[in-house]
Amino acid sequence: MKIQAHYVNGSAWSGSSKRKIDVNNPATGEVTSELVLATKADVDEVVNIAHKAFQSWSTTPPAKRAQVMFAFRDLLKQNIDELAELLSSEHGKTIPDAKGEVARGIEVIEFACGIPQLLKGEYSEQVANGVDTHSIRQPLGVVAGITPFNFPAMVPLWMYPVSLSCGNSFILKPSEKDPSVVLRIAELLDEAGLPKGVFSVVNGDKEAVDALLDNPLVEAISFVGSTTIGEYIYSRGTANGKRVQALCGAKNHLVVMPDADMEQVADALMGSAYGSAGERCMAISVAVPVGEETADRLIEVLAPRVQALKVAPYTDPSSDMGPVITKASLDNIHDYIGQGLDAGAELVVDGRDLKLQGYEDGYFIGGCLFDKVTTDMSIYTDEIFGPVLAVVRANTYEEALDMINNHEYGNGTAIFTRDGDAARHFCSRTRIGMVGVNVPIPVPVAYHSFGGWKRSLFGDHHIHGMEGVRFNTALKTITSRWPSGIKEGAVFNFHSGSDTHSK
Ligand code: NAD
């Protein structure tokens, strides 16, 4: 049996732990490897290595740091087939979807290649007589990332290319469910020329995460995952004086206005609700048609498409979506569907009985479509994280808008309409971090920033783009006067630059 552990100081490292967990192929249920779970002592050792490596990396010129990112980007491009295969074999998503996530990750590296420009500070000459002020952004030290299973390549890449380029050292604690692609990418980063110790991967569970949260040498934590865990990480990390951003769970609504192009809506919903088996934090899990007539048309167009979804393992190139990640996740999804039925929702398409010959032990479920869902049902309130779309009928646009704004989550949302006024109003009034107009999954490109509102994000910063640079640096403002400047004698009063007279 293949055993995997950590990646530290430019090579695989087994650490001291005896605890292990199985990693499965979700399409077959087979155990494909065992993963070692780090102890607190292991994590503390890696933090010390990262802290030491920070000393010279943080003073390396940004242009030189960018050179590593250029090489890293090329290596990911060259190896994308191998990376996608590794990723799909443990996550279950289709190969084109896996390649798409690596490609989106590469875009963040490309953004990070511009770090000399991004770190440029500001300068004001003569803020008072003979006095100049400038501001700079400096790296923080050791930064840690804790990431979820659903984008094992892309989500870590949201974090460390920006953080490393800013001059930090970085420790990644990826999901224990699909670690192989992360470990392979760590090798490529080493091959790209990153000095040893600057980037490490530590695999583990709560023990490893708590060790990162409590180690005083860890300055900042980027977390992406579920709301329960994110809230815990935010409170424990900030209580320990760290800077924390925690991007969390979601329930994303797509509003269908009566004037929307229904074919376009159906295509958008198919991809955004069922792509990657609904295991995306930006998946649309609620469709809100406005008016009964719109709702009836939507169900009529959508139901046959959901029925026709091709559910198959990633090795089948015609697959639309693969299995979900674990048996526990599959059971959880079945449980929610039962709750929806008990509460009186109408299961228009029931994917529960899907059986794939030769893959009976895989974690497959077909696409499910609920109609006549109400906002008090758990299939509406909770993030299911599976291929289950709930249709909640709204009488008016205002009712749809209130529904979205009253939901505890605020990650993404979309409106489909031909009416510019309605779209503009929607963009302005939704209490949501990322909004799409006729775009179902409005994930910002790498040079903008990704993040939700309400209980989809704890902390002040969104991720990647300029928000990523701000999160990963500390702002310092320097005010200087040189001996040849104006000598005012001792000044006892606070005064502004405009009070003084230039001579
Ligand atoms: P998760 O919260 O179970 O795990 C995320 C990370 O936290 C993993 O590394 C895991 O090992 C660690 N962890 C789990 N339990 C822990 C504990 N008790 N103490 C400390 N650490 C713990 O999330 P997941 O199931 O891997 O991913 C799915 C979730 O991630 C969904 O809720 C999804 O919406 C969310 N997500 C959010 C975004 C976003 O940008 N908002 C993006 C992707 C995924």
Side-chain angles (χ1 to χ4, degrees), residues 147-150 173 176 209 224-226 229 248-249 281 383 385 450:
T147 52
F149 80 84
N150 67 324
K173 205 304 283 172
E176 62 280 22
V209 171
V224 176
S226 61
I229 307 298
C248 296
C281 68
E383 181 183 47
F385 227 52
F450 183 109

Side-chain angles (χ1 to χ4, degrees), residues 146-151 155 158 173-177 204-207 209-210 213 223-227 229-230 232-233 247-250 280-282 383 385 411 434 450-452 456:
I146 299 156
T147 52
F149 80 84
N150 67 324
F151 285 105
V155 166
W158 281 355
K173 205 304 283 172
S175 170
E176 62 280 22
K177 296 184 179 113
D205 55 6
K206 183 168 165 45
E207 181 175 345
V209 171
D210 286 349
L213 289 170
F223 169 86
V224 176
S226 61
T227 294
I229 307 298
Y232 163 73
I233 281 172
L247 286 84
C248 296
R280 293 180 180 140
C281 68
M282 287 291 276
E383 181 183 47
F385 227 52
N411 217 37
M434 293 166 284
F450 183 109
S456 293

Side-chain angles (χ1 to χ4, degrees), residues 118-119 125 139 165 193 196 212 227 265 275 352 454 458 484 487:
L118 299 170
L119 284 182
E125 189 188 29
S165 302
K196 301 211 179 317
L212 289 168
T227 294
V265 168
R352 288 176 296 174
K454 296 187 274 182
F458 300 92
S484 64
K487 294 193 174 59

Side-chain angles (χ1 to χ4, degrees), residues 17 176 239 243 281 307 325 377 413 415 432 440 469 486 498:
S17 176
E176 62 280 22
R243 187 179 286 195
C281 68
Q307 203 89 50
I325 187 72
M377 296 179 185
T413 189
I415 187 167
I432 301 284
V469 174
I486 310 302
S498 57

Side-chain angles (χ1 to χ4, degrees), residues 386-407:
V388 182
L389 177 65
V391 174
V392 184
R393 296 170 174 236
N395 292 316
T396 61
Y397 162 76
E398 287 71 25
E399 195 182 313
L401 185 64
D402 285 349
M403 193 188 299
I404 292 168
N405 287 342
N406 290 335
H407 202 285

